Amino acid sequence: MARAVKTSTRVSYTIAAWVVALLIFFPILYTIITSLKTEGEAIAGFNLIPSFSLESYREVQNQQNYIKPFTNSVVLAVGSTVLGLLIGIPAAWAMAFSPTKRTKDVLMWMLSTKMMPAAAVLVPIYLIFLRLGIMDSRIGMTVLLMLINLPIIVWMLYTYFREIPGEILEAARMDGANLWGEIWHVLTPMAVPGIASTLLLNIILAWNESFWTIRLTTTNAAPLTAFIASFSSPQGLFWAKLSAASVMAIAPILIMGWFSQKQLVRGLTFGAVK
Amino acid sequence: AAITIATVNNGDMIRMQGLTSEFNAAHPDIEVNWVTLEENILRERVTTDIATGGGQYDILTIGNYEVPIWGKQGWLLPLEFSADYDVDDMLPAIRGGLTVDDKLYGAPFYGESAFLMYRTDLLEKAGLTMPDDPTWEFVGDAARKMTDRSAGINGICLRGKAGWGENMALVASMANSFGASWFDETWTPQFDQPEWKETLQFYADLMKDAGPQGASSNGFNENLTLFQQGKCGMWIDATSAGSFVSDPKQSTVADKVAFAIYPHKDGVDNHGNWLWSWNLAIPTSSKNADAAKTFIEWATDKAYTEMVAGKEGWVNVPPGTRTSLYENQNYLDAAPFAAKAKEAMDAADITKPSVKPVPYTGGQFVAIPEFQSIGTTVGQLVAAVIAGQSSVDDALAQAQSTTEREMRRAGYGR
Amino acid sequence: MATRQTASIARLMRLPAIVVLFIWMIVPLAMTVYFSFRYYNLLNPAAGGWAGFENYQYFLTDPAFWQAIRNTLAIVLGVLAISVVGGIGVALLIDQPIFGQGLVRILVISPFFVMPPVAALVWKNMILHPGYGVAADIAKFFGLQPVDWFASYPLFSIILIVAWQWLPFAALILLTSLQSLDGEQKEAAEMDGASAFSRFRYLTLPHMSRAITIVILIETIFLLGVYAEILVTTNGGPGYASTNLPFLIYRAALLNQDVGGAAAGGVVAVIIANIVAIFLMRAVGKNLD
Amino acid sequence: MGTIQLRDVHKAFGATNIIPKLNLDIEDGEFVVFVGPSGCGKSTLLRLIAGLEDMTSGTISIDGRDVTNEAPAKRKLAMVFQSYALYPHMTVAKNIAFPLKMAGESQAEIDKKVANAARILNLSNYLERKPGQLSGGQRQRVAIGRAIVRQPSAFLFDEPLSNLDAALRGTMRLEISELHQSLGKTMIYVTHDQVEAMTMADKIVVLNAGNIEQVGSPLDLYRSPKNLFVAGFIGSPKMNFVEGKAAEAMGAKTIGVRPEHMKITVTNGAWRGVVGVAEHLGSDTFLHVHTDDHGTINVRADGEIRVSHGDVVFLTPEPAKIHRFDANGKAL
Amino acid sequence: MGTIQLRDVHKAFGATNIIPKLNLDIEDGEFVVFVGPSGCGKSTLLRLIAGLEDMTSGTISIDGRDVTNEAPAKRKLAMVFQSYALYPHMTVAKNIAFPLKMAGESQAEIDKKVANAARILNLSNYLERKPGQLSGGQRQRVAIGRAIVRQPSAFLFDEPLSNLDAALRGTMRLEISELHQSLGKTMIYVTHDQVEAMTMADKIVVLNAGNIEQVGSPLDLYRSPKNLFVAGFIGSPKMNFVEGKAAEAMGAKTIGVRPEHMKITVTNGAWRGVVGVAEHLGSDTFLHVHTDDHGTINVRADGEIRVSHGDVVFLTPEPAKIHRFDANGKAL
Ligand SMILES: Nc1ncnc2c1ncn2[C@@H]1O[C@H](COP(=O)(O)OP(=O)(O)OP(=O)(O)O)[C@@H](O)[C@H]1O
Ligand SMILES: Nc1ncnc2c1ncn2[C@@H]1O[C@H](COP(=O)(O)OP(=O)(O)OP(=O)(O)O)[C@@H](O)[C@H]1O
Ligand SMILES: [Mg+2]
Ligand SMILES: [Mg+2]
């Protein structure tokens, strides 16, 4: 690939790529633009240049406190992911480095726990949450989100760990490391890119989970998905306001995703693709 | 004590939220938590919670559809208010809808019926005048005459988006005014009757000839915007729209709007019986029922109305709950639509939805638990007709069979 | 590696994950199966008792049932087709030397970070709305009649929205896969006289097969459960045109509040999902090793 | 301090016997090299000793203590893996310090020992680098460093040089030998490289399909291989084997002559042949001679020899250096 | 049919000149080996010839035709990559068939040619395997197979044996040599391995930092290196260099003696020293002698020599085999 790429080729690729990228990004871009319009502008037809009014944001904040659901989103997404990693890393370690005949089946089974449509188990789960007294609690939601994403966590970590040569773990064993030393000092740091991307992916999935987070919370543990649910069909077409609320709901995760794009890609390379 | 209030994201409710501090000033010992959700999710959330005895909420915002059903189930606490509260001031139609076995289960916060809004200028241009008691025949004729698609004007805007509270509110009340009914006295669905066919055919033809583009995805909000932008000649919808279309700040046609009572079919004495109210109620599972009752009293008594009027003007007070409001000159001055709205509300009789004998109460809905699902399914079938994907006959046949199926499932035949 | 000691430790390490997932699976599943044989409607607490197979019968004879199955498959296959084919195209494009590569990549993967209800709201109100959407504006600009997407092409619109969310995921994984393609292999193929298309067909595509498999597996699991986009946009209609299996169950559970019926639907859905999964593993599972 | 005894060691993977039954004694301070064809069980044996693999039956004792059921960490052995198995996320210093850290030594102690090991291995300038930034030879030394800091009772090396290029391999070979001399510790070394085996070992163990074919000093094996297998395996280029009349004449089924023990003349000699490929190394010339009666015979000749493809030559084995084998392949 | 000419070939990566300016002629049917230290530009040169890399300036012609601006596919060259670059998802047969398929040949023709190549390379039994299931040597042969089916005008090999173990390397070396003889095609071969370079080449090109230090036959380079660099680079073990009095006595700045051109005696000789490490290979013994005046000198002695660590010995270089260099490193 060390042959020079002709500038004309490069320019045409650049144009094509930007066109595609902007097309894909357009709905988000337009939402951001709309959020900076006044309500009148918002329904007045296509217009890419807003009046940069922050009115909608102010209104959204007046109507619904943003800080609490934001905090809850962070706590639930990060908490459930960390908890998931704590349980998932040992499991993935075991499956990757001490596989049995049934490991593949177990993995598939884990994925299959995600197949039950949420609506069908709402009442059972609701009853369980009531019985355990964890309704609308951060703890309950954290555990639930962890359980929902655990299969993906184990799966990604498993594929990632398999890329790590077993000899390194054996070396640690020879060096006198016990199991904890082996996992904590050797495996985990080596798997950092994979763990990081697993972490990111699961934060995204947990952040965006919008069935259970709306149905099992009221005020204490309600995250941004519940926040956005209170704007989704108001009386009147408040699109600037809806856009502002939407931007507020997705901005944190979007920004996190942008900043960690490299990490996400790097980890996924190892984790998902040989 | 802390109370959790589940509410919908309507303007009046949001305003109530904004006034929480006023409540706290009066009742510093009661902490108020709000859970604001979109209507359907709220209903679903609250149903699950009540039915499983979850006790997550102390006050529910529910419609006059749920109140009698849930009251009967024993899910709500009967409300008894002090004399100051003046229960007898409530509009009788509203109060009747919230009462089961003489006990009041919900305090109305806001109520509405439906009426016909129209553009005086366009009607005039069409060479017509609005009769006092318009018929559908007149409405159809006027709509077609007002339609000028090249100018972006649709003769009539009607709800088309599927849902029991969306297009079915209109279609069901329309069916009532055409003389149709949902069920006969043995709970047999009536979609195979000519009245339904007539209703639906009329509706479909009208939307085709004089309705806006993409009518099947229009709900209240979309039609409101269309009307405000001058794109509709007529619009039949909730009376609460009256304040929006006649508010010059929002509406480009504020000075050209007039109101008329809900149409009926020539020879059928029924104005659709559209009646809706948002009410505050206390679930039996609430652990802070007393504090909840305090709040409800605060939010639904006359003083609240005056407080809102003082802060936001008379136009913005929650309408449709108390007779006294419609006797208040300040309000009548501020709200030109108020008289017609009151007339509409008085004309609605939810104890007698259809001219035929029926075993249910209701109006634009049928007050049985199964209606949500049946209404939504039928709403989808109707929307498919408007979207041009199904014929009237097919839709009605399907409506008939699925409703029969649902009713059998629910045990009505048993 | 394979000493008895490590094997027994491994068993211990696997245990927490397996146990919690097992509980998470079995308890709700058992309750669901139990409920699926009972009359249980939240709105009608009086009617209880054993229903036998009536809930199943009711669910399976729902007039929307077969259409829902077809729609479910259409959504899964449609989104897979768009996101995989589109993802390959996008990945190939953003793998090229272009100016502003980092920014382009960020823009391309962004939709994946948007929560499904928000995505659906944005598409419904701001893009595809026949009155105010950008698509309508474009149509008007060209003097065309705006299309009411959700009424005229409901399933397609939903597939479009869901594909928009998942295409970035596919592009991301496929891009990383592309980057791991050995440069010398490409050069070897070039020396062997292969054209750019042949190099893609015989080299790049087979190289990506593992990544494509992973995309297909993960997406399928999620796509089998799509409902939020439907709820927000079409509500399953018009008619049953965009009702899929999860939405049908959603309707039973949360509109009818028919817990028994929804439970039966859930059991049916799990069975179907497993059939799909087994079929899928047969079809593409070997690419995983 | 470093004796290792294997008693009736048997290892099977599932139904296949990899190591049928094996006994071996290793003395303290010895440098033992395991050689054998690929797949013969060298690595497996090493891993059994290390405790990374379970034995099917048999016992292993180290310093007289039975360690059969002990975990690898307890056996006080250090192992250098074929792939080095360095910890890629740790610096060189941390890599070397790791076993000490695991043993819970104090930081001061660790620093001292690491510095010392680095000095021995000439790594002092690289302590802060990560393995990815090192050349192959330096990585090798880090792997050794990690092994020596701990003062284990014995070292295990699994083909440690096989990833290196020829030049580096030569240097590293010397370094390991010197290390062995200076530390005086038992070392077990697996290799498939002739030169390494011959130059480094005190004792070579020749394995074949999990069996020990012969144990002895390098020159022992070179001079008196016990059987055809060892004779063919030790020495490079490989020993020439001749059967038939020439062998019978010497009372054997097969005779073997090493390429370097063959005189080559152009006029007269024992076996006549035509030169095939001639490989000129400068220092030596390897000739492949197609003889009339005994097939192709390899000969190592002087670098200056002037024969080329197609020349007729005569080969004469040095009588004293002829190996004789019976019908079972046993040396006579 | 396979002449290659490089004229003023210049290659820079950014600001760094990798190949300053280079001229080289390769005859039809020649086996040319490029050697040189790591990073000297061997691979780059090969890739320039292949067209995988753009030249900064200069021209390359193949068979008299200027191909400077031609795409790799048009140059009719076949290349065997260092990493083999096999197509991992295709069977051996498909791998070999790929160039033919790309050339649009008929299936019957392809089958015939693949079968033929497989026969030559002893791969007939492996045609249905995927590369992942092959041993290193087999993979190597597949890579060669992919190159030979096409009847290119020349072959390019980039360190094709560097991934193999010593034993396999020996075999493969012979196979490639034989292939060259049977096909008679021009071959350009990059290696860092002494033995490969010496035994395979018709002509060796010694590169150093992108410059050609010397071009010649293997024995030419061994016997008459033009300068210190070539002298030190060709030959293994490396030539010993001595400066100071001993050199001045011979009218040179430096003199060089190869380890194999040194006589070792215990009683009397030119340079006195003490034996350090003695590496016994059986066939040979490599001695590292610490001399009194000339530092450590490596000597290759007979396998049977009886000296060991610490013995005092005397070294005498063979007078005719002493190389002399001036202050610029040029041979005198
Ligand atoms: N986990 C295993 N399961 C089954 N067979 C195995 C396993 N590990 C190794 N083997 C087999 O055991 C035999 C010995 O393997 P081992 O790795 O000890 O060979 P080796 O002598 O080290 O070979 P090499 O020189 O190629 O490294 C081989 O035939 C191998 O296929
Ligand atoms: N793309 C590149 N950009 C910058 N420098 C490069 C590039 N490719 C190679 N080089 C430099 O060019 C020089 C020659 O590299 P080349 O690969 O030709 O060496 P080589 O002789 O093949 O070495 P080796 O024996 O290690 O393979 C090296 O110093 C290398 O760092
Ligand atoms: Mg091995
Ligand atoms: Mg190179």
Side-chain angles (χ1 to χ4, degrees), chain B residues 146-155 206-213:
Chain B
M146 285 154 105
T147 302
D148 180 359
R149 290 217 159 111
S150 60
I153 291 173
N154 308 290
L206 186 59
M207 293 315 285
K208 199 163 135 226
D209 296 342
Q213 171 72 22

Side-chain angles (χ1 to χ4, degrees), chain C residues 2-153:
Chain C
T3 62
R4 280 179 282 273
Q5 268 180 329
T6 40
S8 62
I9 293 169
R11 213 169 301 130
L12 217 69
M13 304 283 277
R14 260 194 306 265
L15 213 57
I18 290 182
V19 166
V20 294
L21 274 179
F22 186 74
I23 294 173
W24 168 238
M25 178 197 77
I26 201 68
V27 174
L29 184 67
M31 288 171 81
T32 305
V33 170
Y34 172 74
F35 288 155
S36 74
F37 290 108
R38 292 188 67 87
Y39 291 114
Y40 185 9
N41 189 314
L42 294 185
L43 295 171
N44 191 2
W50 281 104
F53 282 94
E54 199 186 304
N55 288 325
Y56 288 94
Q57 194 201 346
Y58 174 73
F59 187 82
L60 293 173
T61 56
D62 191 303
F65 179 74
W66 287 108
Q67 171 132 30
I69 298 269
R70 277 197 302 276
N71 288 343
T72 307
L73 292 179
I75 290 174
V76 171
L77 295 178
V79 175
L80 278 180
I82 295 176
S83 64
V84 170
V85 174
I88 290 173
V90 169
L92 284 175
L93 191 58
I94 61 182
D95 191 37
Q96 302 298 330
I98 51 178
F99 298 102
Q101 201 175 43
L103 199 56
V104 163
R105 288 185 185 173
I106 283 175
L107 295 185
V108 165
I109 60 173
S110 290
F112 186 56
F113 303 129
V114 177
M115 41 189 88
V118 172
L121 280 173
V122 166
W123 275 88
K124 174 190 166 194
N125 291 331
M126 256 129 13
I127 309 295
L128 296 182
H129 196 286
Y132 314 106
V134 174
D137 290 328
I138 292 171
K140 279 184 223 151
F141 178 80
F142 288 108
L144 300 170
Q145 194 57 245
V147 176
D148 185 0
W149 291 95
F150 290 111
S152 312
Y153 310 103

Side-chain angles (χ1 to χ4, degrees), chain B residues 273-296:
Chain B
N273 297 310
W274 179 317
L275 190 68
W276 184 254
S277 64
W278 280 113
N279 316 283
L280 303 180
I282 305 174
T284 40
S285 57
S286 166
K287 291 166 198 99
N288 297 301
D290 289 338
K293 211 187 94 191
T294 309
F295 184 89
I296 292 181

Side-chain angles (χ1 to χ4, degrees), chain E residues 39 42-44 82 158-159 190:
Chain E
K42 305 182 293 292
S43 298
T44 306
Q82 180 162 3
D158 193 357
E159 311 197 14
V190 171

Side-chain angles (χ1 to χ4, degrees), chain C residues 206-244:
Chain C
H207 171 78
M208 285 197 290
S209 66
R210 188 177 139 94
I212 291 175
T213 305
I214 283 173
V215 168
I216 290 178
L217 277 179
I218 291 187
E219 284 196 4
T220 302
I221 293 289
F222 280 91
L223 294 178
L224 281 171
V226 164
Y227 86 96
E229 291 85 348
I230 298 175
L231 181 67
V232 172
T233 55
T234 64
N235 238 309
Y240 305 119
S242 58
T243 298
N244 69 351

Side-chain angles (χ1 to χ4, degrees), chain D residues 146-202:
Chain D
R146 206 170 55 183
I148 63 173
V149 274
R150 224 162 34 115
Q151 312 280 354
S153 43
F155 290 91
L156 311 175
F157 293 88
D158 193 357
E159 311 197 15
L161 306 185
S162 66
N163 287 339
L164 304 188
D165 70 41
L168 202 51
R169 209 183 272 204
T171 326
M172 288 312 304
R173 209 169 69 208
L174 273 180
E175 290 193 15
I176 295 178
S177 287
E178 277 168 19
L179 202 73
H180 177 236
Q181 269 165 29
S182 66
L183 297 177
K185 288 284 167 66
T186 308
M187 291 189 175
I188 305 181
Y189 190 104
V190 171
T191 184
H192 56 239
D193 186 291
Q194 288 292 319
V195 179
E196 283 174 30
M198 296 302 288
T199 57
M200 301 170 87
D202 291 325

Side-chain angles (χ1 to χ4, degrees), chain D residues 13 18 37-44 159:
Chain D
F13 282 115
I18 300 301
S38 180
C40 70
K42 304 181 293 293
S43 299
T44 306
E159 311 197 15

